Amino acid sequence: MAVPPVPAEPAPVPPAPAPAAPSPFDQAQDVAKSLPCSVLRLAAERNGVRATGFATAGQDLDRFFQDLHNVGYVADDVIRVDRSGCSVLATLAPVVRATWETTPPTFAVRLDRPNVASGARVAISVATTLPAVYVDLYQPDGAVRHLLRPGQSGATGRRSVEWIATPPQGARLVVGFGAATPLELGQRPDTEPEADYLDALRARIDGGTTRFAADLAMVIVRIPEPTVAKTPQVRPVTAQSQKCANIVSRAQLGETLSDADLAALRTECRS
């Protein structure tokens, strides 16, 4: 009786390779996304990393930059924002970050000058192909001013607006965002409490049914330079000027001037 062959044992399956550990730069990017009261962008450079964006100053940001030195040289181009801007950053950070990550960015806010005196005009322009464009300016008193809105047709039409810098001095956060269709934000006054507006805006963002893009900018308002009155220049009195004044005075009184006086007026008293 034939003995059945013994089946060969299957070859062992090699273990799956362990996932590669994230690089220091990838770790820094994850930390940047979780940093409170901020919206940051990191770009790898030849000898390190460049950080741009907006964040509030404090221990969290200081610790982030200390840890960032593990990547290499750090270029700090982050704009510091007052704590009053945290609600704005928390609401719009996901949209702004996603916009920055697109190549090229689908939305950008530009100021003709980021530092102006109170009373000066600031030109704010927007670069985007999205039809519905919004530009808001957040003030230190907790109010938001709506500078640009879509028209009745749903398209903004304009891509720029001017704002006259008003007191008090300090920073203003400018937020621009665009959408494929106008947002259902209801009828809103030109200026309103930012908390009310952010609640309405957050509901549209969290709904996720509208394609969004957004960008931020900051303008600093300073006190106007004091106007210095010019002191009139007083010419020193000389014997020649006294002589000329005497001749002119006699002529105004109707006195007949001598040939010498007339010659002096032509030669010595012309200035």
Side-chain angles (χ1 to χ4, degrees), residues 177-268:
F177 58 92
T181 58
L183 306 180
E184 296 179 2
L185 297 173
Q187 294 294 326
R188 315 203 71 85
D190 292 339
T191 302
E192 63 177 313
E194 70 171 50
D196 296 344
Y197 179 61
L198 290 176
D199 285 342
L201 190 58
R202 198 176 296 115
R204 303 282 77 77
I205 295 175
D206 294 342
T209 58
T210 302
R211 184 167 64 94
F212 263 101
D215 192 22
L216 307 174
M218 179 177 286
V219 58
I220 305 297
V221 179
R222 66 178 187 274
I223 298 175
E225 298 292 336
T227 302
V228 179
K230 293 184 178 180
T231 303
Q233 296 182 351
V234 179
R235 295 183 178 181
V237 178
T238 63
Q240 179 181 351
S241 62
Q242 288 181 332
K243 174 183 176 182
C244 294
N246 180 269
I247 296 173
V248 171
S249 175
R250 289 189 286 110
Q252 291 175 340
L253 293 174
E255 183 178 327
T256 301
L257 300 181
S258 65
D259 292 340
D261 291 337
L262 294 174
L265 287 176
R266 290 194 298 271
T267 58
E268 303 175 31

Side-chain angles (χ1 to χ4, degrees), residues 2 27 30 32 34 49 76 88 97 112 142 154 192 200 220 242 259-260:
Q27 292 177 343
D30 292 337
S34 62
V49 62
D76 178 5
V88 181
R97 193 178 296 114
D112 68 335
E192 63 177 313
I220 305 297
Q242 288 181 332
D259 292 340

Side-chain angles (χ1 to χ4, degrees), residues 49-80:
V49 62
R50 181 173 300 275
T52 57
F54 300 80
T56 55
Q59 294 182 351
D60 291 334
L61 187 63
D62 293 340
R63 190 180 303 110
F64 170 74
F65 275 113
Q66 290 174 1
D67 296 340
L68 198 58
H69 281 89
N70 295 329
V71 181
Y73 170 79
V74 177
D76 178 5
D77 290 337
V78 174
I79 298 173
R80 270 52 173 183

Side-chain angles (χ1 to χ4, degrees), residues 111-142:
L111 308 178
D112 68 335
R113 42 184 175 167
N115 191 308
V116 297
S118 177
R121 293 180 179 272
V122 181
I124 305 170
S125 60
V126 175
T128 185
T129 58
L130 293 171
V133 175
Y134 300 75
V135 175
D136 299 314
L137 183 136
Y138 290 83
Q139 304 177 160
D141 60 0

